[in-house]
Amino acid sequence: MAIAILIAALAGATVALFFQPRWWFPDAISAHAKAYDAHFLFTLCVIGAIFVFAQGLLTWVILRYRDRGQAPSAHEGNNTLELVWTSATAVVFLGLAFAGQGIWAGIHLDAPAANALRVEVLAKQFAWSYRYPGPDGAFGRVDTRQIDDASGNPFGIDAKDPAGRDDITGAILRVPAGRQVELLLKSRDVIHNFFVRELRLKQDVVPGITIPLRFTADTPGSYEVPCSELCGLGHHQMRSSLVVMAPADFDAWLQEAQQKAAQP
Ligand SMILES: [Cu+2]
């Protein structure tokens, strides 16, 4: 009897926690993030209803068949019921996975927009660096032997390549609101993870390969970019910012950065 009450109370408290806004996601800042949230909420409602039903059933079974001093009896089970709930679980599970497929594919499989802003993201123990191609639209050649953090060249941009002379590098990711951004994620050492909560995006950064990641942020503001893969002793301090700017502000910033980069 006490166990039945405890189970019902725990199930009720668990469900109640989902109805308070205190511990919830921060506001979504892209269409993808909003679609992700809608799908998350839908999934939560479906599995929440099943959870309440299952816990209610468990409570009822404990109450109905509790020990009243009668002799124990054996039960053979019910194959039809087993078949029904196993197939129902499979249908719900696969159905939800297929329903969410489009949201995932939009980020990873759709071709980038023609005017997408391309930014190279370099992860290393324990910092993020960002590189913009400059007015020529081309990233300069890199050479691992020219990597020099102390003189501000974490990418190893080859000084001999003219395409690299106007490249803009920095420790903050600045992007314009409303325009698609294509990040090219690279790691210099171990596996890191690029994560922005407000974009609902999380992507491993793997040494040896370039991983594209696309998003269009629509709300100006500053958002944290913490490394989300334990990458060494300094992992906790590997964080930077994503700054989403109004398009005019971004253009002004880019122009100033280009002028600075053009100076010898
Ligand atoms: Cu890291």
Side-chain angles (χ1 to χ4, degrees), residues 192 227 229 231 235 238:
H192 300 274
C227 176
E229 181 68 61
C231 58
H235 165 67
M238 184 171 169

Side-chain angles (χ1 to χ4, degrees), residues 1-11 55 58-60 62-63 66:
M1 186 78 156
I3 286 181
I5 294 170
L6 184 68
I7 286 172
L10 276 178
Q55 299 306 307
L58 183 59
T59 307
W60 178 79
I62 292 172
L63 285 176
R66 70 183 183 277

Side-chain angles (χ1 to χ4, degrees), residues 123-128 189-193 226-232 234-236 238-239:
K124 58 147 199 177
Q125 291 169 319
F126 299 98
W128 295 101
D189 38 44
V190 299
I191 297 176
H192 300 274
N193 187 291
C227 176
S228 298
E229 181 68 61
L230 187 58
C231 58
H235 165 67
H236 65 285
M238 184 171 169
R239 59 181 68 207

